Amino acid sequence: MKKKIVSLLLALLLVLGTAIPASAATPFKDVPANQWYAKAVDFCYNKKLMSGTSDTTFNPNGKVTRAMMVKVLYNMDTTHGTTENVASLPFTDVPASQWYAKAVAWAYRKGITSGTSATTFSPNANITREQAATMLYNFRRTTTTIDKIDLAKLNAFSDASQTSSYAKNAMAWAITNGMISGTDATHVSPKGTATRAQLAQILMKFETWLNPDLAPGDDDTPGDGGDTEDPGTGEEPGTGEDPSTGEEPADKGPTAEEVYASMIALKDEYYEGRPWTNDNFYYWKGGIFSGGGGCAGFAFLLSDAAFGSLPARMIKPVSLKDVRVGDILRINNDTHSVIVLEVHDDHVIIAEGNYNYSIHWGRKLTKSEVESATYMMTRYPQ
């Protein structure tokens, strides 16, 4: 079951996939057997991954909406409760009576989406590639740890600049880890949308990638005319070892500038004043703690965005001269966690969650406040 959930998570992120020829075996009259998506629709229908829009139609060219995406993620989360406080949502376009209302309330509470504005969610809008990437990136962060992020992989595409600032880390994460590829050799189309046929193809592709025995047949066609291989994900043959020593090269970790850029890229999504309380829990990849809620959860979230899978180590006592951008400080008599954005000679600038029940960027801590911290956690390699 866990493997299926993970595979569905990965599958939903791609917006276009490699085609597989097929003959349909579904009740859908709008899925001709000679179409590139026929076998994928058949696979998803019989595996109960997708259903039709009616008893006899699949609507292969129909778009996937934001409400649909959130509902899928909500269904994947087997830990969610039976009730959600829909009335607490700030979105005026999500009536409590709608089928997706609970899912939107859940996603907002978990930090998976913050809407298209402070007061709108746009449930019927077609979801874009960058929005899908962001929702899945955030969903993954609520259930497990985030894999490596390489912003250079995103920037290799000529239209990378079209990616919204809030989505850059999510898109880079998806590309880095092979979950999304270009719409052609030089474009990643962050504002592009997905059809139901493409989604079916993606679901089949990843289900059979994780479970080869499920594969319905060989893929011997050149593609569906939409997706190509990511030009930045190919690997050179070999073992990945340093040829001069026969050992894996040491991970030098990101620079302070890279750490800052990774954290500040999330500021549009995790905006100043966004509600953030102890209910907002995040599973951390740093290793010292498995995760945390409230202030710790927000610090862990930014830390993972910057450092990926690098392990953390604890330092105490704390000296300002040892503090670096991205380090986490436990302050206020061991009651509050913050993450460092800037380091100066006599103070630091921090970001924090659950500060008056919300997210706050830019507060100053003096040298004495820093050095009175209970401990510091850093993820820069020694």
Side-chain angles (χ1 to χ4, degrees):
M1 184 64 176
K2 185 176 181 181
K3 179 177 276 189
K4 175 169 279 189
I5 290 173
V6 172
S7 67
L8 287 176
L9 267 177
L10 299 178
L12 278 168
L13 183 55
L14 280 165
V15 172
L16 295 172
T18 306
I20 296 179
S23 60
T26 69
F28 306 132
K29 295 180 180 179
D30 57 352
V31 182
N34 62 349
Q35 289 295 321
W36 62 266
Y37 51 78
K39 186 174 288 187
V41 172
D42 176 45
F43 178 90
C44 291
Y45 174 75
N46 287 292
K47 297 296 181 184
K48 304 188 186 309
L49 303 180
M50 297 182 72
S51 58
T53 53
S54 76
D55 290 342
T56 58
T57 59
F58 183 77
N59 191 18
N61 295 320
K63 299 294 186 179
V64 179
T65 67
R66 288 171 50 82
M68 292 176 189
M69 186 75 175
V70 167
K71 181 63 173 175
V72 169
L73 297 178
Y74 175 78
N75 291 338
M76 287 179 180
D77 181 12
T78 57
T79 66
H80 68 69
T82 57
T83 61
E84 288 289 343
N85 188 6
V86 178
S88 67
L89 280 173
F91 306 134
T92 58
D93 57 354
V94 182
S97 60
Q98 289 296 320
W99 56 270
Y100 50 78
K102 284 185 180 180
V104 174
W106 163 85
Y108 183 75
R109 174 175 63 83
K110 301 280 281 187
I112 292 170
T113 180
S114 57
T116 52
S117 77
T119 58
T120 58
F121 178 72
S122 306
N124 297 317
N126 297 333
I127 196 161
T128 64
R129 288 166 63 91
E130 66 176 22
Q131 289 171 349
T134 299
M135 287 188 187
L136 286 168
Y137 176 73
N138 291 337
F139 178 86
R140 184 173 173 92
R141 291 191 303 190
T142 68
T143 57
T144 184
T145 53
I146 287 297
D147 301 309
K148 183 179 179 181
I149 298 174
D150 185 354
L151 288 170
K153 298 287 189 181
L154 170 62
N155 293 332
F157 291 97
S158 62
D159 60 349
S161 62
Q162 296 177 17
T163 306
S164 300
S165 58
Y166 75 84
K168 287 182 179 178
N169 270 17
M171 288 289 286
W173 165 74
I175 295 167
T176 301
N177 295 287
M179 289 176 283
I180 192 170
S181 57
T183 50
D184 60 36
T186 60
H187 296 84
V188 72
S189 303
K191 301 294 193 292
T193 56
T195 67
R196 287 170 51 81
Q198 290 165 347
L199 181 58
Q201 175 67 27
I202 293 158
L203 290 172
M204 181 178 73
K205 179 178 179 180
F206 277 89
E207 280 290 296
T208 55
W209 175 65
L210 291 178
N211 304 282
D213 291 341
L214 297 177
D218 293 329
D219 181 1
D220 54 7
T221 60
D224 62 17
D227 202 10
T228 62
E229 290 294 325
D230 178 355
T233 58
E235 297 182 356
E236 294 293 330
T239 64
E241 296 179 345
D242 183 341
S244 65
T245 64
E247 298 178 356
E248 292 186 8
D251 190 345
K252 296 181 179 179
T255 64
E257 291 77 13
E258 290 169 336
V259 170
Y260 177 82
S262 296
M263 294 190 295
I264 214 70
L266 297 179
K267 191 173 181 180
D268 284 352
E269 181 181 0
Y270 296 94
Y271 51 83
E272 176 73 20
R274 173 176 168 172
W276 191 275
T277 69
N278 286 333
D279 289 336
N280 296 100
F281 190 90
Y282 179 80
Y283 290 95
W284 194 35
K285 204 168 184 176
I288 296 176
F289 302 102
S290 60
C295 59
F298 185 64
F300 292 161
L301 184 156
L302 293 187
S303 175
D304 275 358
F307 293 98
S309 61
L310 285 173
R313 51 195 169 86
M314 187 177 290
I315 298 173
K316 54 183 179 180
V318 179
S319 175
L320 178 58
K321 65 180 178 62
D322 297 325
V323 177
R324 300 180 67 180
V325 174
D327 288 346
I328 296 172
L329 299 171
R330 186 68 174 177
I331 62 173
N332 294 359
N333 296 317
D334 201 14
T335 63
H336 190 58
S337 295
V338 301
I339 191 164
V340 177
L341 296 174
E342 301 174 17
V343 179
H344 301 272
D345 290 341
D346 60 352
H347 69 278
V348 299
I349 303 298
I350 60 169
E352 56 202 315
N354 203 15
Y355 181 80
N356 293 329
Y357 308 106
S358 62
I359 290 172
H360 185 58
W361 298 80
R363 187 159 69 95
K364 175 181 174 180
L365 293 183
T366 65
K367 178 179 179 179
S368 62
E369 288 174 313
V370 170
E371 296 189 340
S372 65
T374 307
Y375 56 81
M376 175 178 80
M377 291 184 289
T378 187
R379 296 173 75 177
Y380 290 97
Q382 289 179 295

